[in-house]
mmCIF file of all heavy atoms in Angstrom:
data_model
loop_
_atom_site.group_PDB
_atom_site.id
_atom_site.type_symbol
_atom_site.label_atom_id
_atom_site.label_comp_id
_atom_site.label_asym_id
_atom_site.label_seq_id
_atom_site.Cartn_x
_atom_site.Cartn_y
_atom_site.Cartn_z
ATOM 1 N N PHE P 24 -4.809 21.149 -16.911
ATOM 2 C CA PHE P 24 -6.212 20.991 -17.279
ATOM 3 C C PHE P 24 -6.394 19.818 -18.232
ATOM 4 O O PHE P 24 -7.324 19.012 -18.076
ATOM 5 C CB PHE P 24 -6.717 22.292 -17.930
ATOM 6 C CG PHE P 24 -8.109 22.202 -18.462
ATOM 7 C CD1 PHE P 24 -9.191 22.220 -17.601
ATOM 8 C CD2 PHE P 24 -8.333 22.102 -19.821
ATOM 9 C CE1 PHE P 24 -10.487 22.143 -18.090
ATOM 10 C CE2 PHE P 24 -9.618 22.021 -20.325
ATOM 11 C CZ PHE P 24 -10.694 22.047 -19.455
ATOM 12 N N LEU P 25 -5.510 19.691 -19.227
ATOM 13 C CA LEU P 25 -5.619 18.606 -20.196
ATOM 14 C C LEU P 25 -5.399 17.247 -19.553
ATOM 15 O O LEU P 25 -6.108 16.279 -19.866
ATOM 16 C CB LEU P 25 -4.641 18.826 -21.349
ATOM 17 C CG LEU P 25 -4.950 20.026 -22.241
ATOM 18 C CD1 LEU P 25 -3.842 20.236 -23.263
ATOM 19 C CD2 LEU P 25 -6.289 19.855 -22.926
ATOM 20 N N VAL P 26 -4.417 17.140 -18.646
ATOM 21 C CA VAL P 26 -4.157 15.867 -17.962
ATOM 22 C C VAL P 26 -5.373 15.465 -17.132
ATOM 23 O O VAL P 26 -5.811 14.309 -17.163
ATOM 24 C CB VAL P 26 -2.884 15.961 -17.080
ATOM 25 C CG1 VAL P 26 -2.785 14.782 -16.135
ATOM 26 C CG2 VAL P 26 -1.654 16.056 -17.953
ATOM 27 N N VAL P 27 -5.942 16.407 -16.405
ATOM 28 C CA VAL P 27 -7.109 16.103 -15.581
ATOM 29 C C VAL P 27 -8.303 15.762 -16.471
ATOM 30 O O VAL P 27 -9.054 14.818 -16.189
ATOM 31 C CB VAL P 27 -7.427 17.281 -14.642
ATOM 32 C CG1 VAL P 27 -8.749 17.079 -13.933
ATOM 33 C CG2 VAL P 27 -6.308 17.449 -13.620
ATOM 34 N N LEU P 28 -8.475 16.492 -17.560
ATOM 35 C CA LEU P 28 -9.586 16.240 -18.463
ATOM 36 C C LEU P 28 -9.483 14.856 -19.094
ATOM 37 O O LEU P 28 -10.471 14.112 -19.138
ATOM 38 C CB LEU P 28 -9.625 17.319 -19.552
ATOM 39 C CG LEU P 28 -10.840 17.342 -20.450
ATOM 40 C CD1 LEU P 28 -12.062 17.772 -19.648
ATOM 41 C CD2 LEU P 28 -10.621 18.313 -21.590
ATOM 42 N N VAL P 29 -8.301 14.499 -19.564
ATOM 43 C CA VAL P 29 -8.110 13.197 -20.200
ATOM 44 C C VAL P 29 -8.340 12.074 -19.197
ATOM 45 O O VAL P 29 -8.856 11.008 -19.542
ATOM 46 C CB VAL P 29 -6.699 13.107 -20.826
ATOM 47 C CG1 VAL P 29 -6.334 11.693 -21.192
ATOM 48 C CG2 VAL P 29 -6.615 14.005 -22.045
ATOM 49 N N GLY P 30 -8.013 12.309 -17.949
ATOM 50 C CA GLY P 30 -8.232 11.283 -16.936
ATOM 51 C C GLY P 30 -9.645 11.245 -16.404
ATOM 52 O O GLY P 30 -10.203 10.177 -16.160
ATOM 53 N N MET P 31 -10.261 12.387 -16.216
ATOM 54 C CA MET P 31 -11.555 12.432 -15.530
ATOM 55 C C MET P 31 -12.750 12.182 -16.437
ATOM 56 O O MET P 31 -13.760 11.646 -15.976
ATOM 57 C CB MET P 31 -11.727 13.784 -14.831
ATOM 58 C CG MET P 31 -10.828 13.950 -13.631
ATOM 59 S SD MET P 31 -10.906 12.589 -12.456
ATOM 60 C CE MET P 31 -12.581 12.687 -11.893
ATOM 61 N N VAL P 32 -12.674 12.549 -17.691
ATOM 62 C CA VAL P 32 -13.829 12.341 -18.572
ATOM 63 C C VAL P 32 -14.146 10.853 -18.725
ATOM 64 O O VAL P 32 -15.287 10.443 -18.505
ATOM 65 C CB VAL P 32 -13.628 13.051 -19.932
ATOM 66 C CG1 VAL P 32 -14.668 12.610 -20.941
ATOM 67 C CG2 VAL P 32 -13.678 14.549 -19.747
ATOM 68 N N PRO P 33 -13.177 9.993 -19.053
ATOM 69 C CA PRO P 33 -13.514 8.563 -19.156
ATOM 70 C C PRO P 33 -13.944 7.965 -17.809
ATOM 71 O O PRO P 33 -14.872 7.144 -17.769
ATOM 72 C CB PRO P 33 -12.218 7.916 -19.631
ATOM 73 C CG PRO P 33 -11.423 9.009 -20.229
ATOM 74 C CD PRO P 33 -11.811 10.248 -19.502
ATOM 75 N N ILE P 34 -13.314 8.388 -16.725
ATOM 76 C CA ILE P 34 -13.694 7.872 -15.408
ATOM 77 C C ILE P 34 -15.111 8.308 -15.065
ATOM 78 O O ILE P 34 -15.912 7.522 -14.547
ATOM 79 C CB ILE P 34 -12.680 8.335 -14.337
ATOM 80 C CG1 ILE P 34 -11.344 7.632 -14.554
ATOM 81 C CG2 ILE P 34 -13.193 8.073 -12.936
ATOM 82 C CD1 ILE P 34 -10.213 8.174 -13.706
ATOM 83 N N SER P 35 -15.464 9.551 -15.365
ATOM 84 C CA SER P 35 -16.813 10.043 -15.089
ATOM 85 C C SER P 35 -17.857 9.292 -15.907
ATOM 86 O O SER P 35 -18.922 8.941 -15.400
ATOM 87 C CB SER P 35 -16.903 11.541 -15.382
ATOM 88 O OG SER P 35 -16.031 12.241 -14.544
ATOM 89 N N PHE P 36 -17.559 9.045 -17.188
ATOM 90 C CA PHE P 36 -18.488 8.277 -18.013
ATOM 91 C C PHE P 36 -18.645 6.854 -17.485
ATOM 92 O O PHE P 36 -19.747 6.305 -17.475
ATOM 93 C CB PHE P 36 -18.040 8.250 -19.477
ATOM 94 C CG PHE P 36 -18.481 9.449 -20.252
ATOM 95 C CD1 PHE P 36 -17.554 10.371 -20.709
ATOM 96 C CD2 PHE P 36 -19.817 9.661 -20.538
ATOM 97 C CE1 PHE P 36 -17.963 11.482 -21.426
ATOM 98 C CE2 PHE P 36 -20.234 10.771 -21.257
ATOM 99 C CZ PHE P 36 -19.292 11.681 -21.696
ATOM 100 N N ALA P 37 -17.557 6.243 -17.046
ATOM 101 C CA ALA P 37 -17.627 4.886 -16.503
ATOM 102 C C ALA P 37 -18.469 4.850 -15.233
ATOM 103 O O ALA P 37 -19.304 3.955 -15.050
ATOM 104 C CB ALA P 37 -16.220 4.361 -16.232
ATOM 105 N N ILE P 38 -18.276 5.822 -14.353
ATOM 106 C CA ILE P 38 -19.065 5.878 -13.118
ATOM 107 C C ILE P 38 -20.542 6.077 -13.444
ATOM 108 O O ILE P 38 -21.416 5.410 -12.866
ATOM 109 C CB ILE P 38 -18.539 6.987 -12.191
ATOM 110 C CG1 ILE P 38 -17.172 6.600 -11.627
ATOM 111 C CG2 ILE P 38 -19.517 7.261 -11.059
ATOM 112 C CD1 ILE P 38 -16.477 7.720 -10.885
ATOM 113 N N ALA P 39 -20.852 6.967 -14.383
ATOM 114 C CA ALA P 39 -22.247 7.208 -14.765
ATOM 115 C C ALA P 39 -22.867 5.952 -15.373
ATOM 116 O O ALA P 39 -24.013 5.607 -15.070
ATOM 117 C CB ALA P 39 -22.327 8.371 -15.748
ATOM 118 N N PHE P 40 -22.124 5.243 -16.208
ATOM 119 C CA PHE P 40 -22.626 4.016 -16.823
ATOM 120 C C PHE P 40 -22.912 2.960 -15.763
ATOM 121 O O PHE P 40 -23.974 2.323 -15.774
ATOM 122 C CB PHE P 40 -21.605 3.498 -17.841
ATOM 123 C CG PHE P 40 -22.007 2.210 -18.491
ATOM 124 C CD1 PHE P 40 -22.935 2.197 -19.517
ATOM 125 C CD2 PHE P 40 -21.464 1.002 -18.073
ATOM 126 C CE1 PHE P 40 -23.310 1.006 -20.111
ATOM 127 C CE2 PHE P 40 -21.837 -0.178 -18.657
ATOM 128 C CZ PHE P 40 -22.760 -0.192 -19.684
ATOM 129 N N LEU P 41 -21.974 2.771 -14.828
ATOM 130 C CA LEU P 41 -22.162 1.770 -13.776
ATOM 131 C C LEU P 41 -23.334 2.132 -12.856
ATOM 132 O O LEU P 41 -24.112 1.253 -12.467
ATOM 133 C CB LEU P 41 -20.869 1.603 -12.981
ATOM 134 C CG LEU P 41 -19.708 0.979 -13.762
ATOM 135 C CD1 LEU P 41 -18.435 0.997 -12.921
ATOM 136 C CD2 LEU P 41 -20.051 -0.423 -14.211
ATOM 137 N N LEU P 42 -23.469 3.413 -12.513
ATOM 138 C CA LEU P 42 -24.608 3.830 -11.691
ATOM 139 C C LEU P 42 -25.930 3.604 -12.425
ATOM 140 O O LEU P 42 -26.914 3.170 -11.828
ATOM 141 C CB LEU P 42 -24.472 5.302 -11.302
ATOM 142 C CG LEU P 42 -23.545 5.606 -10.140
ATOM 143 C CD1 LEU P 42 -23.390 7.110 -9.977
ATOM 144 C CD2 LEU P 42 -24.060 4.983 -8.871
ATOM 145 N N ASP P 43 -25.958 3.886 -13.715
ATOM 146 C CA ASP P 43 -27.162 3.675 -14.507
ATOM 147 C C ASP P 43 -27.557 2.210 -14.500
ATOM 148 O O ASP P 43 -28.726 1.874 -14.278
ATOM 149 C CB ASP P 43 -26.936 4.168 -15.936
ATOM 150 C CG ASP P 43 -28.157 3.953 -16.812
ATOM 151 O OD1 ASP P 43 -29.227 4.479 -16.460
ATOM 152 O OD2 ASP P 43 -28.023 3.271 -17.851
ATOM 153 N N ARG P 44 -26.584 1.327 -14.719
ATOM 154 C CA ARG P 44 -26.877 -0.111 -14.727
ATOM 155 C C ARG P 44 -27.325 -0.593 -13.350
ATOM 156 O O ARG P 44 -28.263 -1.385 -13.236
ATOM 157 C CB ARG P 44 -25.650 -0.910 -15.176
ATOM 158 C CG ARG P 44 -25.272 -0.661 -16.605
ATOM 159 C CD ARG P 44 -26.358 -1.144 -17.517
ATOM 160 N NE ARG P 44 -26.053 -0.726 -18.873
ATOM 161 C CZ ARG P 44 -26.822 -0.954 -19.896
ATOM 162 N NH1 ARG P 44 -27.944 -1.588 -19.741
ATOM 163 N NH2 ARG P 44 -26.483 -0.531 -21.087
#
Side-chain angles (χ1 to χ4, degrees):
F24 175 75
L25 293 174
V26 167
V27 171
L28 189 69
V29 166
M31 289 309 296
V32 168
I34 291 171
S35 298
F36 276 112
I38 290 171
F40 178 79
L41 293 174
L42 280 174
D43 179 58
R44 294 295 172 182

